[in-house]
Amino acid sequence: MDTRNPIISFLTEKKILDERTVQTVIDEHEKTGQSLISILKKENILDERQLAEVVARTSGIEFVNLAPEMIEPMVAHLVSYEMASQHNVIPIKREGDKLRVAMSSPLNLSVRDQIEMKTGYKVIPIAATPTAIKHAVHYHFDVTNVTKQAIVSMRLQEGPDKSIQYDEPEALKVGDSPIAKLVSSIIGGAIDSRSSDIHIEPQGADVRVRYRVDGTLRSSLTVPSSVQQEMVSHIKIMANMDISEHRIPQDGHVTTTRDGNVYDLRVSSLPGITGEKIVIRILEKDTDRWSLDEIVSSPQDNQKLRSIVDNPYGMLLLTGPTGCGKTTTLYAILKILNTLERNIVTVEDPVEYRLDGVTQVQVSPIAGRTFGLALRSILRQDPDIILVGEIRDVETAEIAISAALTGHLVLSTLHTNDAAGAISRLMNFGIPPFLVASALLGTVAQRLMRISCPKCRQAYTVSKHELKLLCGQSGPDGKVELHRTVGCEACYKTGYRGRKSIYEILCITPSIRKMIIHGSSDSEIKEQAVKEGMKTLRDSAIAEVLSGVTTMDELTRIVEI
């Protein structure tokens, strides 16, 4: 055994590894030529702390058991969040012209050079574990901490009698300016917390920032109203909106990146009596993650949807309230239908996600491009599959039904409470029942249920009353365990983390087709569909509760019991 090697010497002296394991590592090194560190890392022989200590001690570099409170807040922000996150580094302390920087790869000279060029300080690398550095970066670049620092910086730059002038918009685009850091931290915080929307709301003395996470709004932070105009103007400039116009609503668009992922930000402004409210919808551009198998996790529901869209023509309607995931489900369906042999065209308002190989048309009422007009044009484009974002009026309904009857597969959405309600809704548009019965392949009601946080949920024995609500009189004998929410740091004290879709899929069978033609009511059609095996939204929700995925509270929030 070669104890002259500093790594081997350290491992044996500190008795981190036994002699047999050390010899195995040496043999692998001599056989493959790989470095000892690479072998130790690849084989997971050492944990991350031991590995960091080995690198530090054998390279003459200090190792530190890093904690966020050890870091000077202003020093941490000498590098950007992007640099800190990408290279897993964070400055700890200034010492004259030197900067002590915690690094998970302290021997990386290229990263050290980048930090020196950015800060102007000579970098002294300090070894720390990757997890500790990530935790410190998250803490010091947290939206609340960054906001506080940005507001102080703005007040210091303005002075007591100064204010930012808005006739020089380029000044607001500077990435290192306090207002830019403030807006960036709000957007970054929303992305990190998996938010779908950011609400920036003037409330008189303060501006309230709220994030919509898992379908519910939660307060994130408040910003003094003295920086409201600066913040709104910066967002408008980012989104190519008119910063001089405060009287009418505006819409804009921004593309941004976070941790290597690209996001589309849809910006909407609305004038209020206390100032302009801004809402930013966050859309991740990576649509490759969408899989019908992941979105529709129930094997029974998945198979039903696939069998419906296997038809060469006809209409599939998804129903449910705004924000229940209808568009995501439709896009997942389009992904499995999107082949070279098919021409797929969509007409949407707005086009929320870009799909390769699909022609997507944006509705523009100002330009006279309505759903109806766009649909008429699409039918002259030799389509095989047409996605209509929403059936809103008689004209769109008539054209969509006509397309479904003339050899096209049509996918669209409606706003109804259940699957059967979509049928009567089409008839309310004036579509004759026999055409509805002929065109429809199926209707699907959808909801999103929040998932209990796996880190803090607690099991409990269900009461007889709850069991009766879930299973009726014919409930199972013995004890049944459910889960309740508690709340922890991982779920922001909400008790829930993530959401999943539940479905009510009504297939148009011959018997239901006859009922539609004869004018049967929604309740009669639903009753017949249940007899033929349809699982209602209530049944789907109850199944998720009994399996421990979610809670009784979430069940009563989503469906009627």
Side-chain angles (χ1 to χ4, degrees):
M1 183 182 298
D2 185 8
T3 57
R4 293 172 298 176
N5 186 291
I7 295 177
I8 299 299
S9 176
F10 179 79
L11 292 174
T12 53
E13 286 178 12
K14 298 295 182 180
K15 297 182 180 180
I16 296 174
L17 299 178
D18 57 43
E19 291 188 4
R20 182 177 179 181
T21 306
V22 171
Q23 189 59 53
T24 302
V25 172
I26 293 173
D27 293 342
E28 180 73 10
H29 165 65
E30 293 175 348
K31 179 181 178 181
T32 64
Q34 295 182 70
S35 68
L36 294 171
I37 293 294
S38 297
I39 295 169
L40 291 168
K41 187 181 295 186
K42 182 182 71 174
E43 301 295 336
N44 293 321
I45 295 172
L46 304 179
D47 61 35
E48 64 171 14
R49 181 190 173 94
Q50 291 172 330
L51 196 59
E53 283 192 88
V54 168
V55 172
R57 299 289 176 85
T58 57
S59 305
I61 295 172
E62 179 186 350
F63 172 82
V64 63
N65 188 17
L66 188 66
E69 54 270 16
M70 297 167 56
I71 301 170
E72 297 178 8
M74 297 304 292
V75 172
H77 288 270
L78 288 173
V79 301
S80 65
Y81 170 81
E82 287 71 24
M83 176 178 283
S85 178
Q86 180 181 353
H87 301 297
N88 209 27
V89 300
I90 188 165
I92 298 175
K93 188 177 182 181
R94 280 181 293 204
E95 296 176 345
D97 63 344
K98 296 181 177 61
L99 184 66
R100 291 163 62 83
V101 181
M103 307 176 66
S104 59
S105 300
L107 302 181
N108 191 325
L109 297 177
S110 173
V111 174
R112 283 155 59 173
D113 289 343
Q114 289 182 49
I115 297 172
E116 288 181 352
M117 290 180 63
K118 172 69 177 174
T119 64
Y121 291 92
K122 174 69 176 176
V123 169
I124 305 299
I126 307 296
T129 64
T131 299
I133 296 175
K134 286 178 182 177
H135 181 63
V137 169
H138 177 76
Y139 177 85
H140 283 280
F141 286 88
D142 175 75
V143 60
T144 304
N145 292 333
V146 174
T147 299
K148 290 176 181 176
Q149 295 173 28
I151 292 169
V152 170
S153 298
M154 279 185 277
R155 298 284 75 85
L156 291 174
Q157 288 186 9
E158 289 179 21
D161 301 314
K162 297 180 182 178
S163 60
I164 293 179
Q165 301 298 314
Y166 295 97
D167 54 352
E168 297 180 3
E170 286 300 319
L172 292 174
K173 290 188 178 181
V174 179
D176 291 333
S177 68
I179 191 65
K181 287 182 177 179
L182 171 59
V183 173
S184 177
S185 71
I186 290 172
I187 294 172
I191 292 172
D192 291 345
S193 62
R194 305 174 294 104
S195 304
S196 60
D197 301 89
I198 306 170
H199 289 244
I200 301 173
E201 307 161 311
Q203 300 288 308
D206 295 310
V207 177
R208 181 175 63 182
V209 179
R210 293 192 292 172
Y211 294 160
R212 188 177 292 279
V213 182
D214 295 334
T216 59
L217 281 169
R218 65 174 179 83
S219 183
S220 175
L221 69 151
T222 57
V223 178
S225 59
S226 56
V227 300
Q228 174 188 341
Q229 189 180 356
E230 303 161 29
M231 184 166 59
V232 170
S233 293
H234 183 77
I235 294 171
K236 282 185 170 183
I237 289 170
M238 291 170 58
N240 292 316
M241 297 158 70
D242 185 355
I243 64 170
S244 65
E245 180 56 74
H246 307 285
R247 298 165 299 175
I248 61 174
Q250 295 186 64
D251 294 302
H253 171 265
V254 184
T255 299
T256 189
T257 58
R258 182 81 168 177
D259 294 336
N261 297 319
V262 183
Y263 297 88
D264 272 332
L265 307 180
R266 303 295 169 84
V267 183
S268 171
S269 71
L270 181 68
I273 59 173
T274 55
E276 289 181 274
K277 174 177 177 176
I278 300 289
V279 174
I280 304 174
R281 168 64 58 89
I282 302 172
L283 303 168
E284 190 172 356
K285 293 188 74 171
D286 179 20
T287 57
D288 291 339
R289 72 190 190 286
W290 287 338
S291 161
L292 192 66
D293 292 337
E294 291 180 6
I295 293 171
V296 189
S297 56
S298 163
Q300 180 185 356
D301 291 344
N302 192 300
Q303 183 55 43
K304 279 189 176 182
L305 274 178
R306 288 179 181 272
S307 65
I308 290 173
V309 298
D310 274 346
N311 287 278
Y313 56 86
M315 177 184 283
L316 171 66
L317 289 176
L318 263 70
T319 76
T322 301
C324 72
K326 299 187 297 293
T327 300
T328 303
T329 300
L330 286 178
Y331 276 36
I333 291 172
L334 282 188
K335 279 197 68 177
I336 64 173
L337 297 175
N338 188 12
T339 63
L340 288 174
E341 295 79 20
R342 294 186 175 112
N343 175 26
I344 302 176
V345 186
T346 76
V347 51
E348 304 167 71
D349 182 24
V351 175
E352 293 192 0
Y353 300 97
R354 307 297 168 87
L355 295 175
D356 292 335
V358 175
T359 302
Q360 295 173 272
V361 178
Q362 170 78 53
V363 168
S364 177
I366 296 176
R369 191 164 59 246
T370 62
F371 271 109
L373 184 63
L375 261 178
R376 292 184 192 277
S377 300
I378 285 171
L379 289 173
R380 295 192 288 271
Q381 291 283 312
D382 186 31
D384 297 297
I385 299 168
I386 302 169
L387 186 150
V388 183
E390 182 183 346
I391 295 178
R392 297 178 179 174
D393 51 45
V394 174
E395 182 186 17
T396 306
E398 289 175 344
I399 301 171
I401 288 286
S402 176
L405 291 170
T406 53
H408 307 88
L409 181 61
V410 179
L411 312 176
S412 191
T413 69
L414 277 174
H415 289 289
T416 62
N417 290 327
D418 58 11
I423 298 170
S424 59
R425 180 77 174 125
L426 282 178
M427 295 181 189
N428 290 339
F429 281 125
I431 309 297
F434 73 92
L435 290 182
V436 173
S438 299
L440 272 184
L441 298 170
T443 61
V444 180
Q446 178 173 350
R447 297 292 188 275
L448 286 175
M449 292 193 81
R450 291 183 294 174
I451 299 171
S452 299
C453 176
K455 292 191 175 182
C456 67
R457 67 181 183 181
Q458 293 181 352
Y460 72 98
T461 302
V462 65
S463 67
K464 290 183 178 180
H465 174 68
E466 288 177 316
L467 191 61
K468 186 177 178 181
L469 286 175
L470 290 171
C471 306
Q473 298 293 345
S474 58
D477 296 327
K479 294 182 178 179
V480 175
E481 279 197 347
L482 301 182
H483 289 85
R484 60 164 59 96
T485 58
V486 178
C488 64
E489 294 298 328
C491 60
Y492 301 97
K493 305 293 184 182
T494 63
Y496 300 95
R497 185 171 177 84
R499 291 187 291 177
K500 71 172 300 183
S501 300
I502 58 170
Y503 297 91
E504 176 179 287
I505 302 175
L506 194 161
C507 297
I508 307 299
T509 60
S511 59
I512 290 178
R513 188 166 282 115
K514 289 179 182 178
M515 294 180 72
I516 295 172
I517 294 172
H518 293 147
S520 299
S521 66
D522 291 350
S523 58
E524 291 172 334
I525 291 174
K526 184 173 184 176
E527 185 180 344
Q528 178 62 29
V530 170
K531 288 179 181 178
E532 296 179 5
M534 183 184 80
K535 185 171 60 175
T536 66
L537 279 172
R538 182 179 182 276
D539 294 336
S540 298
I542 288 173
E544 300 296 344
V545 173
L546 291 174
S547 64
V549 171
T550 190
T551 65
M552 278 292 294
D553 288 341
E554 187 66 1
L555 170 68
T556 55
R557 188 181 75 88
I558 293 296
V559 298
E560 293 183 6
I561 295 295

